[in-house]
């Protein structure tokens, strides 16, 4: 069936390569983005998704906490960050971070805390280690996924330590894995426009390499829909694929849809259209053949489209979240979080099978009173 469909497609030769397990080149990826044959591309991405993850759609019961919005970088795409003197700027104490975590633990027994923030100029190294050790002391079973590669470099500068020593110290304090943020688009041209103060993409990759060497798994992302070209998107994907060949430490690839409101890129005001959204998931699945999961962060994509993305290459629907500030300050109209019941309903509606996972993709089962166990 799929053979007949791809035969008629203008990108049939590229899709055939993907189905035969051959690697796609940058040129192949650009042709896929240029093609209008999105449903055929999606069908092939769905086939590959099924080969890797079957009919399963993973979800995680988690709680996001953004500990500070004060950031010295002030990327032009970011509506979340503030300067220290801004009246609504905030930085939580470790006690406040703990309180945030406590708020929902009794209700949903989350298995993951996802913690990221800005690059705060004065918080000391001990703030980060104490945050981790306090949370780990209180919630020993919960996996702490915290600090993007950009924060890790900032924390290492604050600490006066190498990246490796910083990662080791954070791991000893309770860090479980790194989220995928800060990658944006690796192209120096794009970074010069959207995040000129942010460290180069090569540094992001180096932090991930060091983390993987220490046995710390990580996610990977791409922020799309601003000034990047198709070629720059595909090159970003190939760069992730190359590092994954080397380390095997990436768990998932997460396309992040740019929200322009309240940002200094608001004048672009051309949000990626829905076809482009689907292409990102499908082409991401096809290009990056060695990262096992493609995650849809429904907060950024909207629930309905996130459901559709599950048939276009994505296999992971993240998560309960509970509180999200980064995209909501940039105009997102999605809810801040979802109940587990709603999450299950949204996944089930797609005809796929919801599977609760922990952060590193072990399956989770719950007993009669909702306590999680990893199987
Ligand atoms: O690096 C910032 C993005 C990232 C905007 O690893 C924006 O599981 C859209 O990385 N419009 C931080 N995106 C969040 C992040 C993340 C989120 C969910 C799950 C995971 C994971 C990671 O958010 C930043 C940047 O790429 N971002 N501003 C904006 N206006
Ligand atoms: Fe700071 Fe991250 Fe926002 Fe850039 S995206 S300004 S590094 S909080």
């Amino acid at each position: 069936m799929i053979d007949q469909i791809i035969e008629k497609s203008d990108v049939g030769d590229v899709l055939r390569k993907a189905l035969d397990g051959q690697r796609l080149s940058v040129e192949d990826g650009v042709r896929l983005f240029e093609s209008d044959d999105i449903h055929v591309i999606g069908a092939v991405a769905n086939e590959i998704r099924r080969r890797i993850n079957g009919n399963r759609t993973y979800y995680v019961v988690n709680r996001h906490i953004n500990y500070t919005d004060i950031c010295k970088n002030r990327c032009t795409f970011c509506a979340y960050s503030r300067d220290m003197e801004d009246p609504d700027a905030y930085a939580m104490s470790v006690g406040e971070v703990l309180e945030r975590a406590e708020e929902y633990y009794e209700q949903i027994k989350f298995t993951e805390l996802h913690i990221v923030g800005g690059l705060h100029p004065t918080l000391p190294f001990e703030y980060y280690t104490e945050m981790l050790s306090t949370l780990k002391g209180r919630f020993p079973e919960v996996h702490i996924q915290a600090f993007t590669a950009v924060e890790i470099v900032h924390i290492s500068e604050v600490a006066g330590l190498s990246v490796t020593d910083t990662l080791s110290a954070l791991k000893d304090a309770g860090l479980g894995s790194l989220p995928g943020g800060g990658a944006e688009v690796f192209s120096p041209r794009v970074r010069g426009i959207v995040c000129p103060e942010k460290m180069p993409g090569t540094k992001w990759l180096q932090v991930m390499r060091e983390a993987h060497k220490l046995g710390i798994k990580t996610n990977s992302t791409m922020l799309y829909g601003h000034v990047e070209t198709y070629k720059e998107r595909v090159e970003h994907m190939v760069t992730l694929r190359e590092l994954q060949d080397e380390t095997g430490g990436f768990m998932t690839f997460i396309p992040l849809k740019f929200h322009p409101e309240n940002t200094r890129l608001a004048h672009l005001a051309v949000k990626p259209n829905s076809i482009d959204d689907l292409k990102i998931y499908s082409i991401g699945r096809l290009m990056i053949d060695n990262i096992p999961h493609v995650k849809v962060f429904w907060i950024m994509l909207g629930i309905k489209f996130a459901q559709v993305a599950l048939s276009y290459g994505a296999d992971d629907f993240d998560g309960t979240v509970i509180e999200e500030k980064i995209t909501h300050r940039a105009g997102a109209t999605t809810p801040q979080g979802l109940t587990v019941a709603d999450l299950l309903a949204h996944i089930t509606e797609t005809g796929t099978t919801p599977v609760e996972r922990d952060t590193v993709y072990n399956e989770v089962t719950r007993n009669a009173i909702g306590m999680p166990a990893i199987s």
Side-chain angles (χ1 to χ4, degrees):
M1 170 74 169
I2 208 157
D3 292 329
Q4 289 157 0
I5 306 175
I6 66 170
E7 226 172 69
K8 298 197 179 105
S9 169
D10 62 337
V11 285
D13 56 322
V14 178
L15 297 174
R16 167 56 46 209
K17 272 172 78 174
L19 281 171
D20 290 347
Q22 290 175 43
R23 282 243 154 127
L24 302 189
S25 65
V26 170
E27 293 69 33
D28 291 334
V30 171
R31 277 185 59 205
L32 293 177
F33 271 112
E34 284 169 350
S35 168
D36 290 328
D37 236 352
I38 175 58
H39 302 303
V40 180
I41 298 170
V44 174
N46 194 38
E47 167 64 18
I48 304 291
R49 169 239 204 268
R50 278 166 189 276
R51 282 185 195 171
I52 303 172
N53 291 298
N55 197 39
R56 293 181 291 280
T57 293
Y58 293 96
Y59 69 95
V60 64
V61 179
N62 62 358
R63 207 262 190 249
H64 280 221
I65 300 176
N66 301 123
Y67 58 93
T68 183
D69 59 0
I70 297 168
C71 185
K72 61 177 198 186
N73 269 6
R74 305 309 309 269
C75 305
T76 59
F77 60 75
C78 180
Y80 170 67
S81 59
R82 298 286 185 268
D83 289 330
M84 188 90 104
E85 39 303 332
D86 285 340
D88 60 345
Y90 73 89
M92 293 179 192
S93 65
V94 169
E96 285 168 328
V97 174
L98 182 62
E99 259 173 50
R100 288 295 163 104
E102 294 277 8
E103 259 171 15
Y104 279 84
Y105 187 69
E106 285 314 316
Q107 274 182 43
I108 65 167
K109 299 285 188 300
F110 48 75
T111 62
E112 171 185 284
L113 280 166
H114 177 108
I115 302 175
V116 295
L119 311 187
H120 192 291
T122 59
L123 288 172
F125 181 50
E126 294 68 34
Y127 171 83
Y128 303 96
T129 50
E130 201 192 314
M131 185 199 300
L132 293 169
S133 55
T134 304
L135 290 169
K136 205 65 193 166
R138 168 63 185 90
F139 308 109
E141 307 301 329
V142 170
H143 182 110
I144 306 178
Q145 177 167 81
F147 313 134
T148 65
V150 181
E151 288 166 272
I152 295 294
V153 169
H154 174 69
I155 297 169
S156 78
E157 286 166 4
V158 169
L161 292 172
S162 68
V163 164
T164 304
D165 289 348
T166 303
L167 285 165
S168 288
L170 295 174
K171 188 179 177 192
D172 289 346
L175 180 73
S177 62
L178 299 187
E184 321 314 356
V185 175
F186 294 137
S187 148
R189 182 196 77 82
V190 172
R191 289 180 105 76
I193 302 168
V194 307
C195 52
E197 303 301 325
K198 191 166 264 176
M199 66 194 198
T202 47
K203 186 83 186 175
W204 187 94
L205 292 158
Q206 187 54 25
V207 174
M208 291 311 193
R209 185 179 282 112
E210 302 286 339
H212 296 169
K213 269 194 216 154
L214 291 170
I216 302 171
K217 295 272 185 188
T218 77
N219 294 340
S220 66
T221 58
M222 178 173 70
L223 179 72
Y224 70 94
H226 38 88
V227 301
E228 81 288 0
T229 63
Y230 289 159
K231 186 158 185 258
E232 286 161 339
R233 285 180 184 175
V234 178
E235 283 171 346
H236 182 98
M237 292 173 180
V238 168
T239 303
L240 291 175
R241 185 173 78 186
E242 283 167 359
L243 183 54
Q244 181 72 345
D245 275 342
E246 191 185 317
T247 67
F250 288 123
M251 299 179 284
T252 181
F253 170 63
I254 316 158
L256 300 175
K257 177 182 176 131
F258 174 52
H259 283 57
E261 225 172 274
N262 306 322
T263 77
R264 279 175 287 146
L265 293 179
H267 62 279
L268 296 176
V270 188
K271 276 197 190 178
N273 65 44
S274 305
I275 299 299
D276 212 29
D277 289 330
L278 292 181
K279 281 184 181 170
I280 289 278
Y281 286 88
S282 297
I283 298 170
R285 181 63 287 168
L286 295 176
M287 290 301 304
I288 310 175
D289 57 355
N290 54 359
I291 297 184
H293 302 283
V294 174
K295 185 198 282 195
V296 54
F297 190 46
W298 60 263
I299 292 260
M300 290 195 186
L301 202 56
I303 292 167
K304 287 189 191 328
F305 234 75
Q307 288 178 304
V308 176
L310 295 177
S311 305
Y312 281 76
D315 62 278
D316 188 348
F317 198 91
D318 179 11
T320 46
V321 182
I322 297 176
E323 187 181 21
E324 202 279 341
K325 291 192 164 73
I326 299 172
T327 332
H328 282 84
R329 283 190 176 174
T333 54
T334 43
Q336 289 267 338
L338 284 176
T339 63
V340 174
D342 284 344
L343 205 55
L344 286 170
H346 293 317
I347 295 170
T348 307
E349 276 168 16
T350 67
T352 61
T353 308
V355 175
E356 183 177 348
R357 63 163 176 91
D358 69 2
T359 310
V360 293
Y361 289 86
N362 296 304
E363 291 193 15
V364 173
T365 51
R366 301 242 169 200
N367 69 13
I369 55 162
M371 287 304 289
I374 290 158
S375 51

